[in-house]
Amino acid sequence: MDLLALADFNLVARHGGFGRAARAAGRPKATLSRRVAELEAALGLRLIERGVRTLKLTEEGRALFERTGALLTELDETAAEIASGGDRPRGRLRISAPLLFSQTAMGKLAAGFALKYPEVRLEVTTEDRTVDLIEEGYDLAIRVNPDPDERLVGRAFLRDRLVVVASPKLVRPAKHLAVAAVVRGASDGGAAWNVVAPTGKTRIAVEPVLRLSSLIMVRDAVRAGVGAARLPISLVGHDLATGRLVHWGDVEGPEITLWTLYPSRRLLSARVSAFLDYLKEAFPEGKPEELAAYIGE
């Protein structure tokens, strides 16, 4: 494949037309049209539907643009870094992060990183769905207990665990009675929680009285004394330390692990490497207490 022709196709697709692309690049419109036609002939595919006044990517053209646009940008930025004689982080860095981590820590992390690396244009998208890094053009994703994906590589940078907490005003009922519970979403809750306490394993019967859509809302409701809840220790560490909430035990089950993931087929850019190092500086041991302290500062 002719990389120059591919770059011209991406230029036209990005600007939405031959005329706009030609004006932006300062190149003849006829040259761009010819190069795109040559690319289509080489691939045996129609990439662009040409109308009198409009230009529309075909399904194949859209797929090619989505998959190659970020790679060409990365090549350009790498060449610019080499030409400038340095490898300092620069350019756009797109990150996808889960909701709770974004609400509690990502704003502070992003601000600190932006101050340290002013030549990086950081963009953070917050969502709990599993984004496709390659298809959607992300450089890095932060995920909780991710499923294996052979297209991605990464590292665990932070651990957390669930605990059962309640207001000191809430009296823990006898074993055969259910406690009022605040849960996240319609599927959370169940009839009982398995808890590991200093006295051993136990089951706490629960009766959900509030169902809320975010863990921060759950924490705030527990602070008000509505009921007990299962929450990450990092989110309630400060409340436990000050006595605002009390610890009824750890939830039995696997640890919560946060991972940073990036596409395995791409070179690790200076900006991605810098962000990974920045996370390591913020959470050197990856313990829940570090995140709790970071949130509480």
Side-chain angles (χ1 to χ4, degrees):
M1 184 184 296
D2 186 337
L3 286 180
L4 294 177
L6 181 61
D8 284 344
F9 162 72
N10 274 272
L11 179 69
V12 173
R14 185 165 61 251
H15 287 281
F18 288 100
R20 285 192 289 269
R23 288 190 293 273
R27 297 175 59 197
K29 177 180 174 181
T31 300
L32 293 178
S33 180
R34 175 174 56 81
R35 297 302 297 273
V36 171
E38 290 173 353
L39 180 63
E40 289 178 320
L43 295 174
L45 296 170
R46 180 170 290 278
L47 303 174
I48 294 175
E49 297 290 352
R50 298 163 176 81
V52 177
R53 296 183 179 274
T54 61
L55 177 149
K56 182 180 178 182
L57 295 178
T58 64
E59 184 177 344
E60 293 80 7
R62 188 179 306 109
L64 183 64
F65 176 56
E66 289 175 352
R67 296 190 182 193
T68 61
L71 294 175
L72 288 172
T73 299
E74 188 172 343
L75 284 172
D76 287 340
E77 291 175 352
T78 300
E81 287 177 2
I82 294 171
S84 66
D87 58 353
R88 64 180 182 272
R90 64 177 66 187
R92 187 175 70 161
L93 176 60
R94 295 193 70 215
I95 297 176
S96 172
L99 180 62
L100 181 61
F101 185 74
S102 296
Q103 289 176 328
T104 56
M106 201 63 198
K108 182 178 175 182
L109 282 167
F113 184 81
L115 290 171
K116 187 172 183 178
Y117 300 103
E119 293 184 72
V120 177
R121 302 187 307 278
L122 181 59
E123 299 176 10
V124 180
T125 301
T126 297
E127 48 194 336
D128 283 333
R129 74 178 180 91
T130 301
V131 302
D132 189 314
L133 272 71
I134 298 171
E135 294 289 342
E136 299 179 53
Y138 285 98
D139 299 290
L140 186 74
I142 296 173
R143 291 183 183 167
V144 179
N145 294 347
D147 294 327
D149 189 332
E150 63 182 13
R151 301 178 304 164
L152 305 177
V153 294
R155 65 184 73 164
F157 74 96
L158 197 57
R159 300 182 304 280
D160 210 341
R161 68 179 189 277
L162 289 177
V163 293
V164 175
V165 295
S167 167
K169 300 176 184 178
L170 185 67
V171 178
R172 185 167 177 173
K175 289 184 178 180
H176 63 284
L177 298 176
V179 65
V182 185
V183 299
R184 181 188 181 190
S187 60
D188 193 16
W193 297 335
N194 294 318
V195 175
V196 179
T199 55
K201 294 183 179 180
T202 185
R203 284 173 62 85
I204 300 176
V206 296
E207 179 62 38
V209 295
L210 269 182
R211 294 185 181 275
L212 303 172
S213 63
S214 85
L215 291 178
I216 291 196
M217 293 168 64
V218 172
R219 181 202 60 189
D220 292 345
V222 172
R223 284 175 173 175
V226 176
R230 297 182 295 185
L231 287 165
I233 185 72
S234 61
L235 188 60
V236 294
H238 184 68
D239 293 306
L240 294 175
T242 59
R244 190 173 188 177
L245 296 176
V246 292
H247 179 216
W248 284 9
D250 292 359
V251 175
E252 190 174 29
E255 247 184 354
I256 302 167
T257 306
L258 276 74
W259 286 71
T260 50
L261 301 172
Y262 50 90
S264 58
R265 73 184 188 191
R266 295 184 190 170
L267 295 174
L268 189 61
S269 68
R271 58 188 179 276
V272 172
S273 182
F275 190 81
L276 294 175
D277 291 341
Y278 192 76
L279 283 177
K280 184 65 176 178
E281 292 172 11
F283 312 111
E285 297 184 31
K287 294 181 178 179
E289 294 77 13
E290 291 176 330
L291 179 56
Y294 193 85
I295 293 172
E297 289 179 357

